[in-house]
Amino acid sequence: EAQVTQNPRYLITVTGKKLTVTCSQNMNHEYMSWYRQDPGLGLRQIYYSMNVEVTDKGDVPEGYKVSRKEKRNFPLILESPSPNQTSLYFCASSYQWGGPSVMEETQYFGPGTRLLVL
Amino acid sequence: GENVEQHPSTLSVQEGDSAVIKCTYSDSASNYFPWYKQELGKRPQLIIDIRSNVGEKKDQRIAVTLNKTAKHFSLHITETQPEDSAVYFCAARRFGNEKLTFGTGTRLTIIP
């Protein structure tokens, strides 16, 4: 079954305690991204990766790190979490195919990780 | 950077009627415009997308239109059903680049 998994699904932590949220996909997708979702602000992209060892900043990268050492995994690292990083986090993977004029794309989101930083 | 504005923030529609959600974008280089549906407590789901080389795309009851000159695109849902109730997000990005900017969402409620 094609899927994106995230762990943990729920996490309560304290300010400054480093944490990692894992993301894994089994579809051999090249592209992966992290988003955070906050009420009234919608979805905002944190980081994305277009392939192994290729990562770049989204709209809200401050306070986050990522790595892409393997195609299937794209962990999100909070080195020193702060309360303003309390949010719902989604990982996603996507795949594009076709030519320049007829390009198609499919994208899958993980189930989400709800993080509370005290 | 890209800025995407989405309207309205909430929309209530009688079952069977049509719903239209509109988005504008600021970066003229953006050429890929996906739409997502997020049901309560669920993950977002890509439901339809359009690229800048076409003006309209349809998939059953859902259609998306794009006006590149005015830099706006819209989601049209016809013959709405209760299961269409959800939050819908538009987004924009440059093709070949995975940096994606979202609108703030529209909460669509279908009234039986």
Side-chain angles (χ1 to χ4, degrees):
Chain A
E1 178 190 356
Q3 59 181 352
V4 178
T5 57
Q6 293 179 229
N7 282 292
R9 295 288 314 281
Y10 305 91
L11 180 60
I12 302 174
T13 190
V14 295
T15 298
K17 186 176 181 181
K18 180 179 179 179
L19 67 92
T20 299
V21 184
T22 64
C23 174
S24 183
Q25 50 98 0
N26 64 358
M27 296 164 280
N28 202 38
H29 287 172
E30 289 184 347
Y31 309 120
M32 297 185 75
S33 295
W34 275 103
Y35 305 91
R36 61 178 289 175
Q37 184 171 26
D38 303 288
L41 297 176
L43 289 155
R44 293 178 293 169
Q45 190 178 50
I46 303 170
Y47 269 96
Y48 62 94
S49 170
M50 297 179 72
N51 214 326
V52 175
E53 302 289 3
V54 180
T55 63
D56 210 342
K57 297 176 181 178
D59 286 327
V60 289
E62 297 78 17
Y64 304 94
K65 285 176 58 177
V66 293
S67 68
R68 186 96 181 272
K69 298 187 188 321
E70 309 165 277
K71 202 170 189 178
R72 63 182 294 124
N73 297 323
F74 190 44
L76 179 70
I77 303 157
L78 285 72
E79 294 270 3
S80 183
S82 62
N84 64 12
Q85 292 178 297
T86 292
S87 188
L88 176 59
Y89 292 86
F90 288 102
C91 177
S93 72
S94 61
Y95 172 66
Q96 300 167 8
W97 72 96
S101 60
V102 190
M103 186 68 69
E104 297 293 334
E105 177 161 343
T106 185
Q107 185 177 35
Y108 293 87
F109 280 78
T113 294
R114 193 167 291 279
L115 172 65
L116 173 61
V117 183
L118 301 172
Chain B
E2 176 66 276
N3 181 51
V4 177
E5 294 190 357
Q6 183 172 347
H7 300 280
S9 57
T10 61
L11 179 61
S12 294
V13 172
Q14 207 72 35
E15 182 178 353
D17 289 349
S18 296
V20 181
I21 302 170
K22 299 181 180 181
C23 289
T24 60
Y25 61 98
S26 62
D27 185 357
S28 57
S30 289
N31 52 13
Y32 174 68
F33 308 94
W35 285 88
Y36 299 85
K37 175 184 181 182
Q38 187 177 28
E39 297 174 4
L40 189 62
K42 301 270 185 76
R43 69 194 79 181
Q45 176 188 1
L46 176 65
I47 57 172
I48 194 167
D49 55 20
I50 191 167
R51 302 187 188 277
S52 59
N53 58 346
V54 299
E56 184 177 9
K57 183 176 180 180
K58 288 183 180 179
D59 183 3
Q60 300 182 350
R61 295 185 298 108
I62 293 174
V64 57
T65 58
L66 171 65
N67 183 326
K68 285 189 292 183
T69 303
K71 289 192 280 189
H72 69 70
F73 57 111
S74 300
L75 177 71
H76 304 254
I77 306 174
T78 58
E79 301 172 9
T80 53
Q81 301 169 4
E83 53 264 37
D84 294 328
S85 292
V87 178
Y88 291 81
F89 293 98
C90 63
R93 79 163 200 241
R94 298 182 181 191
F95 187 71
N97 184 322
E98 288 299 297
K99 186 170 185 179
L100 188 64
T101 301
F102 288 82
T104 50
T106 297
R107 182 173 300 278
L108 175 63
T109 302
I110 307 302
I111 304 166

